[in-house]
Amino acid sequence: MRLLFASLLACTLVACGVPSSDESVASEAADRAAAEPVPPPLPEQASTVDFARPADLDRRPEDAPIAATAPSPASSDASAAAKPVYWGVKEGEPLTLMWEDLMPDGSEEALMAEYEAFYAMLEKRYAANTTTLANAADPYAKIEEGSAFDFMPQLGSFDTVDALDGEFVRMPGYIVPFDFSTTRRQTEFLFVPYMGACIHTPPPPPNQIVFIRADPPTQIEDIWSPEWIEGIHSTETTQNDLGDTAYAMQMSKLEPYPVPN
């Protein structure tokens, strides 16, 4: 997964996202985007943090997965069968998630196949329209910004890990606001696995973006710094101009992710 996102960050020929005709996301997002449409400049030599699973979860027994088997419906405690039981998570504590936990089995392989097919198609289209052998040999070097070849659709699927629906979770990532004002308090924004997603690189797959609702609203001062976010996680589809999502969260806490000096 990390290699995939690193390769996406290296793409310089593509657009920031793909518009969607579905306007199910709150209409105020469009008003906010019109007010502050330009993101702040990316800091020099900034790079995405390589998020690591906390050490206490890494030390779990090999035969004890993060999501253990829940009690059967025949159990005397029928309500306990509705949700999975997680190893190492105490009552009232959030379940720590890494981004790969949001992808069902087989999703990453299917996504890689989609990207390979897209780039193969793009190379064929460029070669069919090029006039020199030099350009045909390096199809991306001569692609002009804003041309018919300068685009990148949001690939991937809306497939989700349904066992996480309704769970109290904690996960690291980066904020992508619908506007970039550092003074306005935000009620909705996106949470993504790498720096610049949906702004300077293509949007991640829908099942790698979480639509965040903040109540009370929160002030976002630096979109280039990683954060820990906590809240109630849900499987919910939303569509917006920055990137469609397969997950949502009602946020309860936001705090900086510690970055080593």
Side-chain angles (χ1 to χ4, degrees):
M1 178 63 65
R2 292 169 182 161
L3 289 176
L4 170 62
F5 290 143
S7 67
L8 291 180
L9 286 170
C11 294
T12 58
L13 70 152
V14 294
C16 296
V18 56
S20 169
S21 60
D22 192 318
E23 298 180 355
S24 64
V25 173
S27 60
E28 67 184 68
D31 297 332
R32 294 197 305 265
E36 297 284 347
V38 180
L42 180 69
E44 291 186 10
Q45 300 180 341
S47 61
T48 293
V49 171
D50 189 13
F51 298 122
R53 194 178 299 278
D56 57 339
L57 295 183
D58 284 340
R59 290 196 298 268
R60 69 186 185 277
E62 292 184 1
D63 59 349
I66 295 176
T69 303
S72 67
S75 169
S76 58
D77 185 4
S79 63
K83 292 185 178 296
V85 177
Y86 296 99
W87 184 91
V89 179
K90 298 178 181 178
E91 184 69 25
E93 292 183 344
L95 170 67
T96 298
L97 296 181
M98 296 291 108
W99 288 94
E100 56 266 29
D101 297 329
L102 303 187
M103 299 192 80
D105 292 342
S107 291
E108 186 173 354
E109 294 78 5
L111 180 63
M112 292 299 296
E114 281 192 63
Y115 274 107
E116 290 175 2
F118 172 80
Y119 285 121
M121 177 275 295
L122 194 63
E123 287 186 14
K124 288 181 180 179
R125 286 183 56 191
Y126 188 85
N129 287 274
T130 192
T131 57
T132 68
L133 291 176
N135 286 353
D138 189 0
Y140 303 128
K142 302 296 183 181
I143 290 180
E144 297 181 359
E145 185 175 355
S147 72
F149 301 102
D150 179 26
F151 75 101
M152 185 72 190
Q154 183 182 20
L155 302 179
S157 77
F158 287 86
D159 295 340
T160 58
V161 179
D162 293 339
L164 299 175
D165 190 31
E167 291 294 332
F168 178 38
V169 306
R170 178 175 188 253
M171 59 190 301
Y174 289 87
I175 290 172
V176 178
F178 291 107
D179 75 74
F180 301 97
S181 170
T182 58
T183 60
R184 186 177 295 111
R185 301 181 72 83
Q186 311 287 346
T187 59
E188 296 175 343
F189 52 88
L190 302 182
F191 203 61
V192 296
Y194 54 87
M195 181 186 295
C198 309
I199 302 172
H200 295 298
T201 68
N207 58 14
Q208 290 288 278
I209 307 178
V210 183
F211 185 90
I212 306 297
R213 297 182 176 94
D215 185 14
T218 187
Q219 190 168 338
I220 300 169
E221 297 182 353
D222 184 5
I223 67 171
W224 306 122
S225 296
E227 307 278 354
W228 277 113
I229 197 167
E230 289 183 12
I232 302 300
H233 187 78
S234 61
T235 55
E236 177 187 339
T237 298
T238 69
Q239 284 81 35
N240 64 86
D241 288 348
L242 292 178
D244 298 342
T245 77
Y247 292 104
M249 179 188 293
Q250 185 66 48
M251 188 190 81
S252 58
K253 186 177 182 180
L254 184 71
E255 61 183 6
Y257 182 93
V259 179
N261 295 326

